[in-house]
């Protein structure tokens, strides 16, 4: 095999490498990266939904736990809503930490407020 043939083969391989193989590998890598990001986002959303379900249970637990204290405070014209909310927020924060979800206090505080308002609205209709 002559040097000219070897150079022709090398040029053909280099052309194949730069026009077919490398772009294909880049496309696969980008596709894999998008798939991984979507999967991670779906897992985070599933964990967040589970935390929301747990939060509803935490609210019920706080209502039951502070029922007697709430009765005493209402007799004095006060409420222990802030104490109950703080208790629920602490449990949610712990749950977020355990599941690897970022804890955003304002977001979860709003969620608790909406759940409590909905519960009051439903109970008022009874």
């Amino acid at each position: 095999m002559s040097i000219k043939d070897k150079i022709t083969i090398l040029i053909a391989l280099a052309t194949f490498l730069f026009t077919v193989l490398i772009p294909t590998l880049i496309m696969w890598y980008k596709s894999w990266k998008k798939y991984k990001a979507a999967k991670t986002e779906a897992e985070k959303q599933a964990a967040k939904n589970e935390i929301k379900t747990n939060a509803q249970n935490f609210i019920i637990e706080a209502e039951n736990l502070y029922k007697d204290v709430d009765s005493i405070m209402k007799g004095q014209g006060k409420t222990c809503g802030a104490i109950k909310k703080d208790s629920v927020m602490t449990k949610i924060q712990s749950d977020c930490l355990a599941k690897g979800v970022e804890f955003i206090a304002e977001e979860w505080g709003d969620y608790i407020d909406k759940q409590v308002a909905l519960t009051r609205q439903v109970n008022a209709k009874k």
Side-chain angles (χ1 to χ4, degrees):
M1 203 188 245
S2 70
I3 294 179
K4 188 176 182 181
D5 291 337
K6 289 180 182 178
I7 292 174
T8 304
I9 291 172
L10 284 175
I11 290 173
L13 284 173
T15 303
F16 171 76
L17 185 69
F18 288 111
T19 59
V20 177
L21 188 60
I22 292 176
T24 301
L25 290 175
I26 291 172
M27 181 186 67
W28 282 344
Y29 174 74
K30 286 181 179 178
S31 177
W32 174 78
K33 202 171 170 183
K34 284 181 184 178
Y35 167 77
K36 185 153 177 98
K39 184 178 176 186
T40 303
E41 190 59 38
E43 288 171 350
K44 284 182 183 178
Q45 189 59 43
K48 199 170 184 179
N49 289 339
E50 187 177 339
I51 293 168
K52 284 183 178 182
T53 301
N54 292 344
Q56 292 170 352
N57 293 330
F58 298 153
I59 292 169
I60 293 167
E61 288 173 11
E63 287 291 333
N64 292 331
L65 181 66
Y66 293 105
K67 189 180 287 187
D68 294 334
V69 176
D70 200 29
S71 298
I72 294 168
M73 290 184 78
K74 280 184 181 176
Q76 298 173 357
K78 301 176 184 176
T79 65
C80 67
I83 297 169
K84 290 189 267 188
K85 184 176 180 179
D86 189 46
S87 173
V88 173
M89 290 286 282
T90 302
K91 290 179 181 180
I92 290 174
Q93 186 175 18
S94 175
D95 210 10
C96 285
L97 193 63
K99 291 180 176 40
V101 175
E102 182 181 6
F103 176 76
I104 302 171
E106 295 81 24
E107 180 182 320
W108 288 107
D110 291 344
Y111 179 78
I112 292 168
D113 292 340
K114 287 177 185 175
Q115 292 300 310
V116 170
L118 179 63
T119 302
R120 285 183 182 156
Q121 188 178 25
V122 168
N123 288 340
K125 291 180 181 180
K126 287 184 177 180

